[in-house]
Amino acid sequence: MNRRTPAVPPLALLLALALLGAGCTGGVEGTPGAAGLRDPYFPGLGNGGYDVTHYGLKLDIGPAADGPRAPAADRLRGTATITARATQDLSAFHLDLAGLDVESATVEGRPAAVNRAGKELTIRPAAAVEDRLRKGRTFTTVVRYSGSPQTITDADGAKEGWLRTADGAVALGEPTGAMAWFPGNHHPSDKAAYDIEVTVPEPLTAVSNGEPVSRRTADGRTTYHWRTTEPMASYLATVAVGRFTTRQSRTPDGIRLFTAVDPEAAARGGSALTEVLDEIPAVLKWSAEKFGPYPFTSAGAIVERTGDSSYALETQNRPVFPGPPDTALLVHELAHQWFGNSVTPRTWRDMWLNEGFATYAEWLWAADHDGVPIGESFDEAYADDANWAFPPADPPTAADLFDAPVYGRGAMVVHRIRLALDDDRAFFALVRGWTKAHRHKNAATEDFTAYVEKATGRDLTELWDAWLYGGSRPPKEG
């Protein structure tokens, strides 16, 4: 990303727990999955007791009312087919969903009871399917839902979730917005494959993650099917609906490229936008040399109108840009395909691993292509007081997750590792080893520091204490 949950009412929570307890007496053995994963900033986000392996989402999108001035993507009717593996014997489990109305739910084809408390759905399967919810077994849940998706305001004031645009909508999910348009286990530690089918009225186009599978039109409505086979955290899932100009191609090494550009953004960006998007293959090749093989089979970009959101987001395979990006922003968001999308943070406290490396990618590009030495970028970041507001590995609150220290000071940590090694070949081998070892997995700050020390055979405690966790600005030298 490049930018910068309300608590459940006690009465509703008690009611949900009471209902859940009542459900456990109906013959389903096991215990309920946790209603949250105790993330440092969003303790109620995500759910315990299961691991999602695949989401099959079928979304029918259109206006909530007739008329030429009705929002084009204001109403959603969805079916979510969620395939998961139980990590404990389950008597019930939770899903995160904000705002939308649940019409029905089944587990293994049998009707399941659904209780709701705020953004938490409690699913109580029928006793007849309890054997499918034993630890280690795979089960399928189908939730049918509908409504007008919410726009969520983050702690820092940014908007996410379902953002209405002039001709449609775009779904952005970092950190909690995915729950605004589909039910799921919405914590970055639970990654899954996706099939997303989106039906929209003509002449609108629906763009999502991964690769296009099919497109079919009937009765003035078109269904676009997108597939992501590599694991993806739900905050990286997107759907963009609008009047896009699309283009498909392949890089020389076979990566499938798909770009979608809003016509107004195209007119605003002109030939400069075309030139930036044409750089995607070169940026991917350069990045692969620095960070290791590109971790996905497809790439690209979605360019919305300026103002459709207040930030760019590294949605998996094709980042979303609010207006024409420059090359530095393109480099940043494509670097996230390695740092954040393939190697995904274990909790939101580990965000600096995303943003520090993506910011450092900008510094590397500027050094290789614009004649700006890495040391100059480091010095500029070092001199910026905003980067010293707090340690990058320990933002004070959720409102600080996307503040300057996570980006600029995070990049300084990366550079201090490079200086400590005093060997560029060893440094880039270290980085490529990190992306290989944690490809399509989750990683925490502790995993990274342990990896660096093991790979280098060095005790870097002083570096971590001063640059990653320290509360004050350390001396630049030494």
Side-chain angles (χ1 to χ4, degrees), residues 1-4 154 156-158 174-175 310-311 399 402-404 407:
M1 177 184 284
N2 198 305
R3 72 171 183 181
R4 22 104 179 86
D154 292 338
D156 63 359
E174 189 176 38
S310 60
Y311 53 89
F402 306 102
D403 279 357
Y407 294 73

Side-chain angles (χ1 to χ4, degrees), residues 177-247:
M179 69 172 69
W181 58 284
F182 69 98
N185 196 10
H186 292 305
H187 190 268
S189 60
D190 192 356
K191 302 168 71 169
Y194 283 72
D195 278 271
I196 301 178
E197 296 183 52
V198 189
T199 301
V200 295
E202 292 187 291
L204 301 182
T205 299
V207 184
S208 190
N209 309 88
E211 301 185 15
V213 176
S214 64
R215 171 182 171 178
R216 61 185 185 274
T217 301
D219 300 324
R221 297 180 65 78
T222 302
T223 299
Y224 297 83
H225 182 181
W226 294 84
R227 175 171 294 155
T228 304
T229 57
E230 299 99 346
M232 178 169 69
S234 66
Y235 82 88
L236 298 168
T238 190
V239 167
V241 176
R243 297 172 181 263
F244 294 108
T245 299
T246 62
R247 185 172 66 169

Side-chain angles (χ1 to χ4, degrees), residues 151-160:
T151 297
I152 295 172
T153 301
D154 292 338
D156 63 359
K159 305 292 185 181
E160 59 164 331

